[in-house]
Amino acid sequence: MKKYILSLIILIFILPLSAQVRVSILGDSYSTFEGYIPEGNEAWYGENIGNDVKNVEDTWWWQLITDNGLVLDLNNSWSGATICNTGYRGEDYTNRSFLTRSGNLGENPDLILVFGGTNDSWAGSPLGEKDGTDMFTVRPAAKAMFQNIKASYPDALCVAILNTELKEEVENAIVEACEVENVPYVKLESIDKQLGHPSINGMKQISRQVWKTTAPLLYTHLKNNSAKK
């Protein structure tokens, strides 16, 4: 409860007074919307799908950014993308993997939200070894992804988001990578979905849960960065 109250204080009083905070997204279908991702990336959300999310304003990332006085730097999301380079049917997904896209997250984001692992779980991507180097497996690719983000954007706060209903081994691999690379994470709970994807209500739940954890982390991060200058 104290953490939630602190996030509200930051939301209302502190962040709006600072320089506009730039947010980038590294995601899969859950974070896409037609016209709001790089050209060539595949979108899942749009006007002509069976899910009730029909407007970009209903997406979790749009709500998080606009409701809290932030600004979007880049949303590099790609429907169906895996963290590692192995996708569905064992196909080579190097062109769209989170690992490949991890160095293309905008010009100067202050906050990077990484929402992946769902397709690694659904596709049955190989787990790999804890200290392995095979980027076609989840464990080494997840660690390399976070390393690349931190090297490419050393001044940004990186936060991972863990979907509900992930395979245990995939969730554990991401958590392991977060702990090794000192990346905080949000483990989502009870997200409403349609066709396996967040509904309008689910998007609201994601936005609230992510911001509740991220707000105090972001405030501390920005404060520390300001003190260094």
Side-chain angles (χ1 to χ4, degrees):
M1 180 60 70
K2 289 182 179 179
K3 187 175 182 181
Y4 179 64
I5 293 173
L6 174 60
S7 70
L8 288 179
I9 293 173
I10 294 167
L11 166 64
I12 298 171
F13 297 107
I14 300 174
L15 289 183
L17 296 177
S18 65
Q20 206 159 25
V21 177
R22 302 183 65 83
V23 182
S24 288
I25 313 296
L26 179 60
D28 51 31
S29 59
Y30 279 40
S31 305
T32 63
F33 201 90
E34 293 175 349
Y36 290 86
I37 56 178
E39 185 177 356
N41 289 19
E42 296 179 14
W44 194 84
Y45 283 101
E47 297 179 357
N48 300 310
I49 59 171
N51 188 292
D52 66 359
V53 176
K54 306 294 186 183
N55 301 299
V56 69
E57 291 83 2
D58 293 325
T59 60
W60 72 267
W61 53 270
W62 184 279
Q63 293 177 57
L64 185 145
I65 290 171
T66 58
D67 290 351
N68 299 301
L70 316 178
V71 63
L72 179 65
D73 193 326
L74 178 68
N75 181 352
N76 193 342
S77 295
W78 191 316
S79 181
T82 46
I83 290 175
C84 72
N85 292 335
T86 301
Y88 290 89
R89 301 166 297 279
E91 295 176 6
D92 186 342
Y93 271 27
T94 302
N95 70 319
R96 70 195 68 184
S97 71
F98 278 65
L99 177 60
T100 296
R101 291 179 288 123
S102 60
N104 181 20
L105 296 174
E107 296 182 3
N108 189 31
D110 300 290
L111 172 64
I112 296 172
L113 297 171
V114 181
F115 195 176
T118 299
N119 290 296
D120 300 80
S121 187
W122 290 353
S125 300
L127 189 62
E129 301 296 327
K130 180 178 181 179
D131 298 317
T133 58
D134 185 357
M135 298 304 149
F136 284 83
T137 62
V138 179
R139 294 172 82 182
K143 285 188 283 189
M145 171 187 67
F146 289 130
Q147 289 170 355
N148 194 28
I149 290 172
K150 295 176 76 173
S152 301
Y153 305 96
D155 294 328
L157 169 66
C158 179
V159 177
I161 304 169
L162 299 177
N163 193 12
T164 59
E165 304 168 303
L166 291 177
K167 287 183 178 179
E168 184 178 1
E169 58 268 29
V170 172
E171 179 177 306
N172 289 343
I174 298 172
V175 169
E176 175 186 272
C178 287
E179 292 176 345
V180 169
E181 299 303 325
N182 195 30
V183 173
Y185 60 88
V186 180
K187 186 174 181 180
L188 299 176
E189 299 179 355
S190 303
I191 302 302
D192 186 63
K193 299 176 183 178
Q194 298 172 351
L195 303 178
H197 292 70
S199 62
I200 287 178
N201 185 46
M203 290 292 191
K204 292 177 181 177
Q205 293 168 329
I206 293 172
S207 177
R208 291 167 183 164
Q209 291 182 33
V210 171
W211 186 244
K212 181 179 178 180
T213 296
T214 303
L217 295 173
L218 181 59
Y219 168 63
T220 300
H221 178 78
L222 294 174
K223 182 179 179 181
N224 289 342
N225 277 0
S226 178
K228 293 177 184 177
K229 296 178 179 178

